[in-house]
Amino acid sequence: MGKSIQRDQVTGHADEADGIEEYDNPLPDWWLGLFWFTIIFAIGYTLHYHFIAHRSPQKELAAELAAARVQWPEGVAGAAFVPTHELAEKGEAIFKTNCVPCHGEDLHGKIGPNLTDDVWIHGGRPDDIVRTITNGVQAKGMPTWGPILGPERVKEVAAYVISEHGK
Ligand code: HEC
């Protein structure tokens, strides 16, 4: 390291710094090396992130949402199921054909529970109801309707159940 420099000389500003005195020594080489490394790394990382890998937080979010939509097709990730009047009208016939034996003509329940009260065993949000109908509750005797009705008709009958809620 070239010509020897005087070490451990105080800077002499203790009076401005609450009595804290400081040595005027150069920073250690390993520390400066690390310092320059972080700067160069940050420049390299930024260039790579934006211009070589073309990454962005928006793209990462979009990819995660797309993966979630594959994993949870009923729209738990973002696109929540919105029941409409039209869906409910189509769902009424589906309910009469498939659900009345267990849930009753008026949905007040027989073997299956009342679907018009505020008590939901498996959740009362539209997405929950679609999910319960799709997957069923085999241990309790609620059939798995997803493969029988298909996703569209499950939504229609779910919309009907929701429209009857509170009646
Ligand atoms: C064979 C009898 C049976 C049929 C048919 C049936 N269910 Fe069920 N259903 C049940 C039972 C039993 C439960 C209660 C499950 C439990 O206790 O976990 C249930 C639960 C439900 C629930 C959840 C209620 C809650 O409190 O979370 C919904 C929604 C539902 N059924 C809708 C339907 C629809 C729509 C149909 C027609 C497509 C249908 N069910 C047909 C027996 C049936």
Side-chain angles (χ1 to χ4, degrees), residues 90-105 111-112 115 133 141-150 153-154 156-158 160-161:
K90 293 188 193 157
E92 180 165 7
I94 302 170
F95 191 91
K96 296 263 145 72
T97 318
N98 300 287
C99 320
V100 165
C102 295
H103 290 285
E105 185 89 31
I111 302 165
L115 299 177
I133 297 170
M142 162 71 176
T144 303
W145 292 103
I148 301 169
L149 298 175
R153 303 209 306 149
V154 164
E156 289 163 9
V157 78
Y160 174 70
V161 169

Side-chain angles (χ1 to χ4, degrees), residues 5-130:
I5 29 171
Q6 278 204 303
R7 302 187 62 86
D8 297 351
Q9 284 195 317
V10 292
T11 48
H13 52 209
D15 50 337
E16 299 160 21
D18 291 340
I20 298 168
E21 195 50 274
E22 221 182 348
Y23 288 139
D24 190 16
N25 287 342
L27 291 159
D29 287 346
W30 67 264
W31 195 98
L32 276 176
L34 208 58
F35 178 62
W36 286 114
F37 173 76
T38 59
I39 292 174
I40 292 161
F41 180 85
I43 294 169
Y45 185 84
T46 306
L47 292 176
H48 182 270
Y49 187 92
H50 288 290
F51 302 112
I52 297 170
H54 296 289
R55 290 166 61 192
S56 77
Q58 287 86 346
K59 283 186 195 162
E60 272 168 39
L61 176 68
E64 276 179 29
L65 285 178
R69 248 175 249 122
V70 172
Q71 198 173 351
W72 296 288
E74 287 311 331
V76 178
F81 167 57
V82 182
T84 63
H85 196 64
E86 287 72 39
L87 288 174
E89 272 178 2
K90 293 188 193 157
E92 180 165 7
I94 302 170
F95 191 91
K96 296 263 145 72
T97 318
N98 300 287
C99 320
V100 165
C102 295
H103 290 285
E105 185 89 31
D106 53 6
L107 287 75
H108 284 180
K110 283 181 176 171
I111 302 165
N114 188 342
L115 299 177
T116 60
D117 60 12
D118 283 329
V119 182
W120 293 102
I121 307 166
H122 301 285
R125 291 178 312 142
D127 280 328
D128 298 328
I129 293 167
V130 168

